[in-house]
Amino acid sequence: MTYATFAWRNLTRRPVRTTLTAGGVALAVAVAVSLGGFNLGYRNAISGSIEQLGFQVMVMAKGCPYEAATLMLKGGTGLIYLPEDAHEQIRTDPDIAEITPIFIGIAEKQGFALDGSPAASSFAILTGVDTPSFLAMKPWLQLKTGRGYDGGRWFAPGATNEIVMGYEVAEYEQRKVGDTFYATIVPHGSVEPRQHAFTVVGVLERTGSQDDGTVFLPLHVAQQLFARDGELTIIGIKLREFNAIRMREFEGRWLKIPEVQVVSLEQVKGALVSLVGTAQTMVAAVALIAILVAVIGVVNSILMSVHERTGEIGVLKAVGANRAQIFRLVWFETLLICLAGAIPGSLFAAGAARLTDAALRAVLNIGVSQSLVRITPELLGIAILGAVILGLFAGIWPAGRAASLRPVAAIRSGE
Amino acid sequence: MNNQTLITGRNLHRHYQRGSETVRALDGVDIDVRAGESVCILGPSGSGKTTLINLLSALDAPTSGELIIGGRRVDGLAEHELVNIRRGLLGYVFQQFHLIPTLTVAENIALPLLFLGRRVDPADTQRVLEAVGLADRAGHRPNELSGGQMQRVAIGRALMIKPRVLIADEPTGNLDRATGEAIFDLFQTTVSEQGVALVLTTHNLALAERCDRTLTLADGKIVAP
């Protein structure tokens, strides 16, 4: 027999109490692991989504960086525009490797998804792109093939009613190549909505990015439909060499254009991370409280156990146990109860990551398509190690109390 | 049997403070315990029997007086130092058995070895189980045993470390007459076969008469050697 098996036997003496205490630890660890997974997954998802944009720098009309961030990832709502000649000026910059002008507008769709999916809103993001420069920026974009999608292509020169649909929006709208897509647009300066019928000429393969939910059309067509000729929403730029110094130099050169801001990916990442920073802090506070409650529960449970076994601890001393051995025994009990909670708690959090992801998406309106919760073996290891360390601290008081019992008094109190 | 003195107590006092009153539980007791002898301590309740037993088993230290156990001075030692006197030298049997309910008979018997840091040899455990007549009960839990069987386990636990002194505080107090006799037989067998010294307290005069020596305590003093 070892101290661990002896300690485990002691814990099984009160199975309900032990289970409840370990359950408290499991809950706290599950919350902590989910929070850690969210931190990790969210940053990862933001990075992934931004990399899918294809550009490192964005030029847009001056506004708040949060709007810039959501604009890039979700299309935004309160759109502001910059003059198209800014694109003509900036494209001459020698540091630019690729540049593409983009126009984004919001249109009302004719109907909802045929399958009634709530994910399909009544609005569609229409993105006007300059096809050659846009595809140079995003060479990974592929047109879907197969039945109903064969013959897919980008817009013909001069076409005014052709669109290419992202994977998800095409799925929601049940559209294939050759189908018609109706959208209602309110042109700038008008209150009269106008319905347009577009022909779907291509559907994109899934990218896992914001492009999946976008309807693409030629840049100048989009500008005309929204009555914003000569205006752009953003200019996407890939620099030949991207670092903080180059970025600052580039920004310094082009901030001279009135009403224009130059935003780097890093700024956007920072803005997006800070968007959910408050929520993360609140969840962290809840996790911390859960951990504190669990630790108090463990201390209380072990103290009760020590109190109930006062006489028995006296007997152990009488048969040869010294202070350190009694301390070790009770410490083992604390450690085991923490492990008994931490391991299932971690596994539960890992197993429920998809549910957590769905719950977070329901609560937080975040414009990223990748999983928001990423639970790694390292994270699970840290959580279990953390629970062990907390268990070691939680065990000090009850173990010390048990170790300091005088055998005669302890045996007498237990009789 | 040899005549080596294992425990020597001279002018032992043990006083307790109860509020403003000083309780003299032991008041100048002299005692010697030699290897291979059985010593019975008699006396009415409150006479100081258990206090004396606690001192002799190094569970407690005297308020004053000289106490030597296994050649080491015990008086003046702190509680955490007394454990080093107890370990490996003294085996203790309680009136109320005090077995660990979550451990089997074999595990209860081997328990002291855990604290001595010794590996449990199953052959040793089997030998002790057979000595106390519980070879067929090794895997049972204490709640599956009778009172007499539980006391046999307690004796086995005390014997497992091969002690030089076996100390028993009213070991038959919770047993019926026949079972008490059987337990006492086991003690006597142990003393005669293993040369262990036995110190026990009892109210049972018939059992006391079977010991080599009897000391009678009253009001913390030995009144009859």
Side-chain angles (χ1 to χ4, degrees):
Chain A
M1 188 172 56
T2 62
Y3 284 93
T5 52
F6 191 16
W8 182 250
R9 297 275 185 85
N10 285 334
L11 289 175
T12 58
R13 196 178 300 201
R14 298 274 187 186
V16 174
R17 185 170 68 198
T18 300
T19 305
L20 287 176
T21 309
V25 175
L27 188 66
V29 169
V31 171
V33 168
S34 298
L35 175 69
F38 175 45
N39 272 324
L40 211 61
Y42 180 68
R43 283 171 198 279
N44 194 53
I46 293 290
S47 295
S49 290
I50 286 178
E51 276 161 25
Q52 291 274 8
L53 288 170
F55 38 83
Q56 306 145 333
V57 183
M58 177 176 73
V59 176
M60 60 180 296
K62 276 185 179 160
C64 100
Y66 293 102
E67 184 164 321
T70 51
L71 182 70
M72 289 177 73
L73 296 176
K74 298 184 66 184
T77 49
L79 296 168
I80 46 178
Y81 299 90
L82 72 160
E84 193 169 5
D85 60 5
H87 172 245
E88 298 305 323
Q89 293 177 56
I90 294 169
R91 68 185 301 178
T92 60
D93 192 293
D95 281 350
I96 289 176
E98 304 287 350
I99 182 167
T100 188
I102 296 170
F103 180 94
I104 298 172
I106 307 297
E108 192 175 357
K109 292 186 294 196
Q110 184 191 39
F112 294 89
L114 293 180
D115 64 356
S117 167
S121 69
S122 60
F123 292 94
I125 301 166
L126 299 188
T127 299
V129 294
D130 169 53
T131 315
S133 62
F134 188 71
L135 291 178
M137 190 72 79
K138 301 190 180 198
W140 56 83
L141 290 181
Q142 297 289 327
L143 288 161
K144 203 171 172 182
T145 55
R147 193 175 171 187
Y149 301 102
D150 282 337
R153 58 173 175 78
W154 284 86
F155 327 114
T160 57
N161 66 339
E162 291 183 353
I163 57 168
V164 171
M165 299 183 88
Y167 180 89
E168 281 175 12
V169 70
E171 286 281 304
Y172 291 143
E173 302 300 328
Q174 302 281 299
R175 295 295 190 275
K176 293 183 175 175
V177 171
D179 289 351
T180 303
F181 176 76
Y182 295 94
T184 304
I185 294 170
V186 180
H188 178 57
S190 168
V191 291
E192 284 295 318
R194 291 181 192 167
Q195 193 180 65
H196 300 273
F198 298 98
T199 302
V200 180
V201 295
V203 174
L204 294 177
E205 287 283 6
R206 185 191 286 278
T207 62
S209 73
Q210 70 287 348
D211 290 338
D212 291 343
T214 302
V215 175
F216 297 95
L217 66 168
L219 176 65
H220 294 294
V221 173
Q223 288 169 324
Q224 282 165 17
L225 294 178
F226 284 91
R228 286 190 176 272
D229 286 309
E231 290 184 317
L232 297 173
T233 315
I234 53 173
I235 303 168
I237 295 165
K238 190 185 282 180
L239 296 178
R240 292 184 196 281
E241 186 186 352
F242 183 76
N243 57 44
I245 296 168
R246 292 288 186 199
M247 176 62 202
R248 205 168 298 127
E249 288 172 357
F250 182 82
E251 195 176 16
R253 283 199 293 277
W254 296 109
L255 279 178
K256 64 187 180 188
I257 304 177
E259 300 303 312
V260 159
Q261 64 177 341
V262 180
V263 182
S264 77
L265 280 181
E266 292 306 313
Q267 287 170 298
V268 171
K269 273 186 200 173
L272 284 171
V273 167
S274 66
L275 266 176
V276 293
T278 309
Q280 284 181 324
T281 306
M282 285 176 69
V283 178
V286 172
L288 189 65
I289 290 167
I291 289 167
L292 281 175
V293 169
V295 167
I296 291 168
V298 170
V299 172
N300 183 51
S301 176
I302 300 293
L303 271 178
M304 282 171 71
S305 172
V306 166
H307 179 73
E308 286 169 1
R309 291 184 291 138
T310 299
E312 195 175 295
I313 290 166
V315 172
L316 296 182
K317 288 194 158 191
V319 301
N322 61 25
R323 280 185 176 191
Q325 289 167 326
I326 296 292
F327 189 95
R328 194 194 305 179
L329 180 64
V330 177
W331 224 16
F332 259 121
E333 289 177 25
T334 320
L335 211 56
L336 283 174
I337 211 166
C338 286
L339 273 175
I343 292 171
S346 300
L347 294 178
F348 175 77
R354 293 185 75 164
L355 276 176
T356 312
D357 183 76
L360 284 168
R361 282 180 194 281
V363 175
L364 303 167
N365 185 17
I366 298 169
V368 292
S369 52
Q370 284 105 325
S371 175
L372 292 176
V373 181
R374 185 165 174 244
I375 294 173
T376 61
E378 290 83 5
L379 182 63
L380 295 178
I382 289 168
I384 292 170
L385 185 68
V388 167
I389 291 169
L390 277 177
L392 290 176
F393 278 106
I396 288 173
W397 184 23
R401 196 162 165 171
S404 64
L405 287 172
R406 296 177 65 85
V408 171
I411 293 167
R412 199 176 294 146
S413 76
E415 288 177 347
Chain B
M1 187 194 334
N2 62 50
N3 284 327
Q4 185 193 4
T5 303
L6 296 174
I7 300 176
T8 302
R10 292 289 175 268
N11 196 25
L12 294 175
H13 290 261
R14 186 66 177 96
H15 300 166
Y16 301 101
Q17 207 63 37
R18 190 183 294 152
S20 58
E21 180 192 5
T22 300
V23 178
R24 296 172 183 276
L26 280 185
D27 198 7
V29 168
D30 293 332
I31 188 169
D32 290 296
V33 177
R34 285 176 285 275
E37 71 168 348
S38 53
V39 179
C40 179
I41 301 169
L42 282 171
S45 294
S47 60
K49 296 190 302 295
T50 298
T51 303
L52 179 58
I53 279 281
N54 286 342
L55 293 187
L56 300 182
S57 56
L59 287 173
D60 199 4
T63 309
S64 65
E66 185 182 273
L67 179 60
I68 299 169
I69 299 175
R72 295 175 67 183
R73 284 286 291 266
V74 171
D75 47 287
L77 292 183
E79 189 276 315
H80 66 276
E81 296 167 306
L82 291 174
V83 70
N84 295 324
I85 306 289
R86 290 195 292 273
R87 296 172 123 193
L89 178 70
L90 304 168
Y92 202 101
V93 178
F94 303 90
Q95 179 183 356
Q96 292 174 340
F97 325 131
H98 287 310
L99 303 180
I100 308 299
T102 51
L103 304 184
T104 64
V105 166
E107 287 168 338
N108 264 289
I109 284 176
L111 184 61
L113 298 184
L114 175 71
F115 302 123
L116 291 175
R118 291 188 205 157
R119 195 179 63 83
V120 178
D121 183 347
D124 278 350
T125 310
Q126 188 60 29
R127 176 184 54 77
V128 172
L129 281 167
E130 283 168 7
V132 299
L134 290 173
D136 59 338
R137 289 281 190 273
H140 286 63
R141 294 283 168 93
N143 63 1
E144 298 167 324
L145 304 176
S146 67
Q149 287 171 325
M150 282 197 271
Q151 194 58 296
R152 285 172 184 273
V153 177
I155 294 168
R157 181 174 65 188
L159 292 178
M160 192 66 188
I161 59 166
K162 298 185 176 130
R164 297 175 70 190
V165 183
L166 195 56
I167 295 174
D169 189 11
E170 303 201 28
T172 59
N174 273 4
L175 304 175
D176 60 66
R177 191 175 193 84
T179 309
E181 289 277 353
I183 290 294
F184 197 84
D185 290 344
L186 179 59
F187 277 126
Q188 285 210 310
T189 308
T190 306
V191 169
S192 61
E193 288 182 357
Q194 300 184 25
V196 174
L198 172 68
V199 182
L200 62 86
T201 65
T202 184
H203 290 288
N204 188 328
L205 290 174
L207 294 182
E209 284 171 3
R210 292 171 61 184
C211 291
D212 298 327
R213 287 195 291 136
T214 301
L215 303 174
T216 305
L217 273 176
D219 297 328
K221 295 180 180 179
I222 292 179
V223 292

